[in-house]
């Protein structure tokens, strides 16, 4: 027999559903017969279920099925997209072709490769560049870019020279192959007079030992390219005075310096007078 | 001493006519061949149940109708994949419940500032359906007014149940489906369905007792 009303009320719904085993079902039956409170609860539960059953159902709209068929028969997204893109064709196709062309031009214009600076300036000179303080490697690169446009060939050669040269501060051995030694010597003298290296030794008619700031190195190269073809290499042995001279030049010019051993070599055998 | 209260029969019978699964099978078979008339018949047989289920789950009539239309649309499109030996109603209710679940999630994500209607009773939840959302099919005489109030209280109490409990209450106590079919629709075990149902009834009884006091 169920004495506990709480336990009974917990079982009211299963009892209603016929889910209790026979023994418990009998116990519930007996308790409900004896307990008016639980009996009232049971009646309330039944009443509630009747109330749920009698809830009015929402009405079905008169055109419900027609609306479903309209939805089913409506064109799918591929057809809608096709209609949006292509109809009317005499308007859409020309307009879309124009739009695609415009976008293509815009993309090409925005992402076009930039012209090198010398194409735009064309007037920047070597000297103008020399006035701009920059790291040696940047100066080297910038100086190459500032060559006047008329000297495109020289520009390419100087690029090659710069690539071939050892890093700043490393002594350089330059051999210049010339047709006429005497003429070449004159041109070298003229270039050195213009450059005014801090130190110049002229141990032989065709040999020069120079100490000059890094920024003048390429100017020297430019001059030498006009004299003959160049062969550049790092100097394998340094001259005894070079370290001292290098230090002095660095202190003087407040920048890296180059030690250059310049040799003129003749393609013919004519000596320098 | 009063006679002991009799238990209800072991299974509660639905008060509305059940759609025959055998008849459904024949219609489904024809609809799968492209017979629009057969599908139209299926709609006629199940539209009330689908709209009712959608309404109980969403709490809004217009949304329920739109959802029910979407459900039938998906059934038509999904017919080629439907196994004819399965019960059409089970499949239809599954589609409807899934759509309702997604719709509720969408609403939960896009919920804006909470608004409270001055007409709503104190303690009403934000998504309570308004009393006027369901057109009263039988606006009866004054003596029906009290009954109407009780029905509104019952409807509101069901709407306030958590979704898993609300689902079993709607399918079992309102639509009268057997446990086996509810388990199939919900993809849960029968024991779970029964347990949820008993819990739901206990909650409803408590709430209705507070309301009617």
């Amino acid at each position: 027999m169920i004495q506990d009303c709480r336990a009974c009320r917990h079982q009211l719904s299963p009892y209603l559903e016929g889910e209790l085993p026979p023994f418990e079902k009998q116990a519930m039956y007996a308790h409900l017969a004896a307990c008016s409170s639980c009996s009232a609860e049971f009646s309330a539960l039944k009443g509630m279920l009747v109330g749920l059953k009698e809830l009015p159902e929402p009405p079905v709209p008169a055109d419900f099925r027609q609306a479903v068929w309209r939805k089913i028969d409506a064109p799918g997204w591929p057809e809608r997209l096709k209609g949006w893109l292509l109809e009317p064709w005499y308007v859409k196709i020309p307009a879309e072709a124009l739009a695609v062309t415009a976008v293509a031009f815009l993309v090409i214009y925005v992402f076009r490769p930039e012209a090198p600076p010398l194409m735009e300036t064309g007037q920047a000179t070597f000297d103008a560049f020399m006035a701009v303080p920059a790291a040696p490697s940047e100066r080297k690169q910038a100086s190459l870019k500032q060559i006047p446009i008329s000297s495109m060939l020289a520009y390419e050669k100087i690029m090659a020279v710069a690539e071939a040269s050892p890093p700043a501060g490393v002594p350089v051995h330059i051999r210049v192959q010339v047709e006429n030694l005497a003429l070449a010597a004159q041109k070298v003298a003229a270039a050195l007079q213009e450059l005014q290296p801090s130190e110049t030794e002229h141990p032989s008619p065709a040999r020069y030992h120079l100490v000059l700031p890094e920024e003048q190195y390429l100017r020297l190269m430019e001059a030498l390219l006009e004299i003959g073809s160049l062969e550049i290499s790092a100097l394998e042995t340094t001259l005894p005075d070079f370290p001292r001279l290098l230090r002095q030049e660095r202190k003087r010019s407040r920048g890296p310096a180059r030690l250059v051993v310049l040799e003129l070599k003749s393609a013919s055998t004519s000596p320098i007078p | 001493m009063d006679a002991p209260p009799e238990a209800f029969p072991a299974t509660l019978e639905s008060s509305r006519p059940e759609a025959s699964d055998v008849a459904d099978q024949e219609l489904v078979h024809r609809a799968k061949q492209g017979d629009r008339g057969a599908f139209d018949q299926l709609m006629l047989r199940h539209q009330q149940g689908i709209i009712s289920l959608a309404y109980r789950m969403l709490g809004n009539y217009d949304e329920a109708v739109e959802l029910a239309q979407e459900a039938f649309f998906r059934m038509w499109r999904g017919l080629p994949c439907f196994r004819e030996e399965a019960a059409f109603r089970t499949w239809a209710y599954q589609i409807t419940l899934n759509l309702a679940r997604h719709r509720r999630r969408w609403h939960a994500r896009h919920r804006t500032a909470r608004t409270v209607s001055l007409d709503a009773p104190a303690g009403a939840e934000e998504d309570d359906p308004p009393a006027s959302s369901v057109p009263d099919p039988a606006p009866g005489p004054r003596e029906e007014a009290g009954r109407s109030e009780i029905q509104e209280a019952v409807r509101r109490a069901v709407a306030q149940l958590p979704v898993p409990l609300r689902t079993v209450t709607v399918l079992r106590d309102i639509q009268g489906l057997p446990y086996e079919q509810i388990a199939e629709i919900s993809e849960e075990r029968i024991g779970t369905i029964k347990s949820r149902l008993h819990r739901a009834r206990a909650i409803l009884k408590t709430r209705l007792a507070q309301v009617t006091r």
Side-chain angles (χ1 to χ4, degrees), chain B residues 4-25:
Chain B
E6 294 289 341
F8 273 19
T11 56
L12 295 172
E13 297 295 338
S14 169
S15 60
R16 49 189 83 77
E18 293 274 345
S20 164
D21 289 339
V22 175
D24 278 351
Q25 223 166 5

Side-chain angles (χ1 to χ4, degrees), chain B residues 149-170:
Chain B
E149 280 175 19
I150 293 172
Q151 283 176 345
E152 179 57 26
V154 171
R155 188 199 60 75
R156 192 185 296 277
V158 170
Q160 290 175 349
L161 284 172
V163 170
L165 305 189
R166 192 189 319 171
T167 305
V168 295
T169 303
V170 170

Side-chain angles (χ1 to χ4, degrees), chain A residues 18-258:
Chain A
E19 291 168 13
L20 296 181
F23 178 76
E24 287 187 36
K25 188 176 169 182
Q26 279 296 317
M28 278 291 289
Y29 185 89
H31 182 86
L32 289 172
C35 177
S36 57
S37 173
C38 289
S39 177
E41 285 287 323
F42 186 63
S43 298
L45 176 62
K46 284 196 288 184
M48 183 190 81
L49 294 180
V50 169
L52 285 169
K53 276 276 175 283
E54 290 179 353
L55 275 178
E57 283 187 332
V60 177
D63 64 340
F64 179 79
R65 282 176 292 137
Q66 287 84 339
V68 173
W69 285 118
R70 277 199 300 274
K71 205 175 173 72
I72 287 171
D73 294 333
W77 72 265
E79 289 77 22
R80 287 201 304 271
L81 182 65
K82 187 179 156 192
W84 183 73
L85 283 175
L86 299 176
E87 291 168 7
W89 65 267
Y90 47 86
V91 172
K92 291 284 178 76
I93 293 180
E96 284 156 13
L98 194 64
V100 166
T101 308
V103 169
F105 270 117
L106 191 67
V107 167
I108 292 168
Y109 178 76
V110 168
F111 292 106
R112 72 186 187 287
E114 285 194 22
L118 64 85
M119 294 289 287
E120 292 167 359
T121 63
Q123 297 302 316
T125 64
F126 206 82
D127 288 337
F129 158 71
M130 284 297 129
V132 176
S137 58
E138 289 172 358
R139 277 189 222 160
K140 187 192 296 180
Q141 197 64 33
S143 71
L144 295 173
K145 286 187 183 175
Q146 297 296 323
I147 301 296
I149 196 168
S150 57
S151 304
M152 280 295 286
L153 195 58
Y155 165 76
E156 288 173 359
K157 284 185 180 174
I158 288 177
M159 277 286 286
V161 161
E163 295 289 326
S165 298
V170 176
V172 181
H173 189 184
I174 303 174
R175 296 181 189 82
V176 188
Q177 193 88 12
V178 298
E179 287 296 323
N180 186 319
L181 268 177
L183 188 58
Q186 284 175 13
K187 287 185 179 176
V188 168
L192 292 180
Q193 190 159 11
E194 191 184 330
L195 288 174
Q196 297 271 327
S198 58
E199 295 289 335
T200 304
E201 286 180 6
H202 198 25
S204 68
R207 190 176 172 101
Y208 303 80
H209 296 168
L210 307 171
V211 177
L212 65 167
E214 177 66 22
E215 60 200 24
Q216 289 190 356
Y217 171 70
L218 285 175
R219 293 178 69 179
L220 175 65
M221 293 296 107
E222 189 184 17
L224 294 176
L225 280 170
E226 291 180 7
I227 295 172
S229 59
L230 306 185
E231 188 183 306
I232 305 168
S233 59
L235 195 64
E236 289 178 4
T237 56
T238 188
L239 300 177
D241 281 339
F242 266 10
R244 178 180 59 82
L245 294 172
L246 196 61
R247 281 196 302 273
Q248 280 176 358
E249 180 56 39
R250 279 190 194 139
K251 210 179 277 184
R252 189 182 72 83
S253 62
R254 292 181 189 169
R258 281 274 187 188

Side-chain angles (χ1 to χ4, degrees), chain B residues 30-77:
Chain B
R30 283 165 42 200
K32 276 165 80 80
Q33 316 301 321
D35 186 344
R36 291 163 69 104
F39 189 74
D40 204 64
Q41 282 295 306
L42 283 169
M43 275 202 281
L44 202 55
R45 292 163 77 98
H46 295 285
Q47 60 188 3
Q48 180 67 77
I50 298 294
I51 290 177
S52 180
L53 176 61
Y55 175 65
R56 302 292 171 208
M57 298 309 296
L58 295 179
N60 180 284
Y61 178 69
D62 294 327
E63 273 201 70
V65 168
E66 191 198 327
L67 191 138
Q69 287 169 355
E70 176 68 22
F72 279 111
F73 169 77
R74 292 197 184 201
M75 286 176 229
W76 172 256
R77 287 290 167 93

